Amino acid sequence: LMRHRQVAPLELVNHYLERSERLNPSLGAYVTVMAEAARTEAQRKTDALMVTDPGDLPPLFGVTVSVKDLNPVAGAPCAYGIRAACDRIAPADGYIVTKLRQAGLIILGKTATSQVGSLPYTEPPGFPPARNPWNLDYTPGGSSGGGAAALAAGLCAIAQGSDGGGSLRGPAFCCGLVGLKAARGRISFAPLGERLHGLAVNGPLGRTVADTAALLDALSGYEIGDPYWLPDPQPGFLGGLAPPTTSLRLGYVTRLDPVGEVDPVCGQAILATARRAEALGHRVEPVNFPDMAALVEPFVLVWQSVLAESTIPWFVLEKLNRWLYWRAWRVSNGSYLRALSQLQQIARQIVQFCHPYDALILPVFMHPTIRIGQWKRLPSPQILEQVINWVAPCPPFNTSGQPALAIPAGFAPSGLPVGVQLVGRPAAEAQLLGLAHQLEQAHPWQSHRPPWASQTA
């Protein structure tokens, strides 16, 4: 519509800002709404639209996007979910934000994250909790929960987030969205080092598979000096988006040890997705995923090391992060290196297990969305146990580096969305997105809107 000059960027930005002004106080999706900067950029783009050939516009010209508050945006606070850091104004854009601007996107604001992005719900101390627009008593997930809440409630057109253990896929599951953890090396961490050794990756949240593919195109690409990288496909993820041309071999998983059988609601979503895939002509079979008990301790050890080596004072950390911080100080350098070696060995086992299949269909989380504050009063070791048991299907693929995509798959009896996870071969996002697009066409989900967000429109 904008390319045909039927809608101006300024109109679009004003629409989203007006919705944000009314809904965000109840939702807690944005920690910073950049209204003045967004309108200034939208006016500049509106003026440019009148004198620029549509073919010369960047691919996502004038589209609105939110940015997770782990990524610096020039002139805006970057607090990482830490209340004491709210007065820290970023002097320049981070690399991911530069990529968004190059694609023509307009940044509406910074979205809430769990403190330092470490938890699968978004309730950092000193901030209002981010709430799920499908039911405000429930979490939108984490750590990209603010972006998911904003997108599901119609407070932006697309959202940027990141995933180091399910932080894109979990919020997509909770809010009825599409969330992609891209393959390792697809999206650069330039100009920074990659502290988590490939476990974490920036990425897209979208309402549809096509939206997600479009933002993946904008974010992906090699930067000089990257420790590992993948060549971009031609004609790109969105341009090449098409259903598979041949029958795929798919496996589906309803049990993940050491946790056990998935909740029946999530299990039914997996079986329904498997039946749809079979009806589309794919070969589908149940598979027994390897026991991931050996993954837990080295994965947690590496993650907690980020807290220990940061410059964040321990006393500003929330309860679980503080406990992990002090645990990390008791770990030797040798234990850390052994943990990395263990993760690499487990990654080989996972990829080898997945190798016979074009894709796997798994749970995203082991049970439906939790209430806000549900685990808040538990001791830290019990919170960690609850978190591990809920998010268990996600960390294996941060470890292996395979692309993993969460897609909507229906609703729980509570009315909250549920989804499934599609995991592809290494570096095979294009095939994975094609399969998801085919499933989306067979079972459309993009017309569903949270009643609360629609009724208050």
Side-chain angles (χ1 to χ4, degrees):
L1 291 172
M2 280 186 285
R3 287 176 183 275
H4 291 88
R5 297 172 182 164
Q6 295 178 31
V7 172
L10 186 57
E11 288 181 272
L12 192 66
V13 163
N14 282 332
H15 165 77
Y16 283 115
L17 289 176
E18 187 272 333
R19 284 186 61 82
S20 297
E21 185 178 354
R22 285 187 293 107
L23 301 186
N24 192 61
S26 299
L27 196 63
Y30 286 102
V31 292
T32 303
V33 177
M34 300 171 58
E36 183 178 352
R39 286 194 173 100
T40 299
E41 179 64 14
Q43 183 63 66
R44 190 183 69 79
K45 281 183 162 55
T46 298
D47 295 341
L49 184 63
M50 297 300 105
V51 296
T52 306
D53 186 282
D56 295 332
L57 296 173
L60 295 175
F61 179 86
V63 176
T64 58
V65 66
S66 62
V67 174
K68 186 176 179 178
D69 197 30
L70 296 182
N71 299 85
V73 176
C78 190
Y80 300 91
I82 300 170
R83 188 67 196 175
C86 282
D87 59 349
R88 291 180 52 190
I89 305 300
D93 289 338
Y95 168 79
I96 286 297
V97 174
T98 299
K99 296 282 280 188
L100 295 174
R101 294 196 196 276
Q102 289 172 348
L105 289 147
I106 299 174
I107 296 167
L108 292 175
K110 305 292 294 296
T111 51
T113 176
S114 60
Q115 193 182 72
V116 300
S118 64
L119 294 169
Y121 43 86
T122 305
E123 304 167 29
F127 295 88
R131 298 180 180 273
N132 193 317
W134 290 93
N135 186 324
L136 297 183
D137 291 332
Y138 287 78
T139 182
S143 60
S144 305
L151 182 58
L155 308 190
C156 57
I158 201 162
Q160 174 271 334
S162 55
D163 190 316
S167 288
L168 280 163
R169 290 162 286 165
F173 166 88
C174 293
C175 295
L177 303 169
V178 181
L180 174 66
K181 185 205 77 68
R184 183 170 299 151
R186 180 68 66 197
I187 299 171
S188 175
F189 265 91
L192 305 175
E194 212 291 81
R195 297 183 299 171
L196 280 166
H197 299 274
L199 294 180
V201 62
N202 284 284
L205 278 165
R207 291 197 189 98
T208 67
V209 175
D211 289 350
T212 307
L215 192 54
L216 180 61
D217 279 328
L219 295 176
S220 63
Y222 168 74
E223 287 294 312
I224 293 174
D226 283 345
Y228 33 73
W229 63 91
L230 297 172
D232 289 331
Q234 298 299 329
F237 294 106
L238 180 60
L241 190 62
T245 56
T246 59
S247 175
L248 301 181
R249 185 183 180 191
L250 307 176
Y252 69 88
V253 177
T254 59
R255 180 182 180 87
L256 275 98
D257 290 322
V259 180
E261 198 71 24
V262 70
D263 180 273
V265 170
C266 300
Q268 284 301 313
I270 293 165
L271 295 175
T273 303
R275 287 194 293 268
R276 290 187 195 106
E278 196 167 40
L280 291 166
H282 302 300
R283 295 165 290 147
V284 185
E285 60 192 80
V287 296
N288 296 317
F289 198 77
D291 189 326
M292 288 287 105
L295 173 66
V296 175
E297 188 56 33
F299 193 92
V300 173
L301 191 152
V302 171
W303 251 109
Q304 71 189 24
S305 69
V306 174
L307 291 167
E309 67 85 35
S310 72
T311 57
I312 302 168
W314 66 268
F315 52 83
V316 305
L317 296 174
E318 60 91 38
K319 182 170 66 174
L320 180 59
N321 281 336
R322 187 180 300 184
W323 181 70
L324 292 171
Y325 176 97
W326 289 116
R327 267 186 30 140
W329 275 109
R330 295 194 294 269
V331 174
S332 68
N333 291 340
S335 297
Y336 177 81
L337 292 173
R338 282 191 294 274
L340 289 178
S341 295
Q342 285 177 280
L343 291 180
Q344 291 165 4
Q345 292 166 14
I346 294 168
R348 289 184 181 275
Q349 295 168 9
I350 293 169
V351 176
Q352 186 174 16
F353 172 82
C354 295
H355 182 71
Y357 301 96
D358 294 293
L360 295 183
I361 306 168
L362 302 101
V364 180
F365 283 171
M366 293 298 287
H367 59 77
T369 306
I370 63 171
R371 288 181 175 271
I372 290 172
Q374 185 165 322
W375 301 329
K376 185 176 182 179
R377 299 186 187 279
L378 296 176
S380 293
Q382 290 184 27
I383 296 175
L384 181 61
E385 182 181 6
Q386 294 285 353
V387 166
I388 289 169
N389 290 343
W390 191 32
V391 310
C394 288
F397 308 107
N398 296 89
T399 303
S400 70
Q402 293 164 266
L405 181 73
I407 60 172
F411 293 89
S414 64
L416 290 163
V418 294
V420 299
Q421 181 178 198
L422 306 178
V423 176
R425 297 181 184 274
E429 289 100 324
Q431 184 180 65
L432 198 64
L433 288 163
L435 173 62
H437 185 57
Q438 187 182 41
L439 290 167
E440 179 184 59
Q441 291 176 320
H443 180 63
W445 58 68
Q446 57 268 39
S447 61
H448 294 289
R449 293 286 186 271
W452 172 81
S454 301
Q455 291 163 4
T456 53

